[in-house]
Amino acid sequence: RRFLFVSILTMFIFLTLIVTIFRILIEKIWKAFLNDNLLNQLHREQSSGLVLAYLILYLLFFINGGLFAFLAARYFDINISGSNFYSLLICIGCLAGFFVAKHFVLWLMGFVFPVSKEVDSYQFTIMIFNIVLGLLLVPIVLFIGYAPESTVGVVIYGALGLLGLTYLFLSLRGLFIANRFIAENKFHFLLCLCAVEISPHLVIYKIATAYGGN
């Protein structure tokens, strides 16, 4: 309980600083999350001076996503490490590593194939969606950490459903971005879909079931 309290308190201090400093940008990100035209406008307005702000907000997603994964693993009796601290670091690190690898693969595809514009737009969309998820996970993590044991499972499954719906929404946005690419290069699109979207999630599922079986 003490470790959980310190972790959530640290997250809230970080969140307070972020909201205080980047309040206007967060409002724009939320509107862009809901509206495709505003998302494109925010992408066009992106400047080198805002890169650090986006990275800090992205970091909040990794922290909260890692906290959620840590709490969910504890609820399902998945033993990640003998230490709570290292288990949390592993969850945060794996989530960050997954998306860093995903962005790298997307960048590589944009470099190899003539779809750099679409890839850049999709990468920005992923970042915006994850930043929003990082904010939405704040009350979820707090509730899971301190809610009665009988309601924790309901919250976790509800959160997983929310993550699934958000991912579906992101996929629809991605299909809209790749509309021209799909029409002209169906085979390459299927390769990209398998490499970037389907395969990584199958690997995560395999790892999670392997840990769950131990």
Side-chain angles (χ1 to χ4, degrees), residues 145-181:
Y146 294 101
E149 188 70 23
S150 58
T151 60
V152 170
V154 176
V155 177
I156 290 178
Y157 283 113
L160 291 174
L162 176 64
L163 294 174
L165 289 174
T166 305
Y167 176 75
L168 178 61
F169 190 25
L170 171 63
S171 299
L172 293 175
R173 286 282 186 90
L175 288 174
F176 180 77
I177 293 171
N179 185 46
R180 178 184 66 84
F181 183 47

Side-chain angles (χ1 to χ4, degrees), residues 69-197:
F70 167 74
L71 293 171
R74 191 175 68 168
Y75 175 79
F76 291 113
D77 292 325
I78 298 175
N79 184 27
I80 299 175
S81 172
S83 166
N84 285 329
F85 178 71
Y86 286 118
S87 295
L88 179 58
L89 286 183
I90 290 171
C91 289
I92 295 174
C94 287
L95 183 64
F98 172 79
F99 279 100
V100 168
K102 184 170 185 175
H103 282 293
F104 174 75
V105 171
L106 285 169
W107 172 83
L108 191 61
M109 288 182 173
F111 179 77
V112 174
F113 301 106
V115 290
S116 57
K117 181 180 178 181
E118 288 81 1
V119 165
D120 184 57
S121 180
Y122 183 54
Q123 293 215 64
F124 184 76
T125 303
I126 292 175
M127 181 173 63
I128 293 299
F129 271 62
N130 284 341
I131 288 174
V132 171
L133 276 178
L135 296 171
L136 293 177
L137 282 171
V138 172
I140 294 173
V141 167
L142 180 63
F143 198 89
I144 294 174
Y146 294 101
E149 188 70 23
S150 58
T151 60
V152 170
V154 176
V155 177
I156 290 178
Y157 283 113
L160 291 174
L162 176 64
L163 294 174
L165 289 174
T166 305
Y167 176 75
L168 178 61
F169 190 25
L170 171 63
S171 299
L172 293 175
R173 286 282 186 90
L175 288 174
F176 180 77
I177 293 171
N179 185 46
R180 178 184 66 84
F181 183 47
I182 296 173
E184 298 177 1
N185 303 276
K186 292 183 176 64
F187 178 70
H188 290 139
F189 173 75
L190 289 175
L191 288 179
C192 293
L193 183 66
C194 293
V196 179
E197 300 295 343

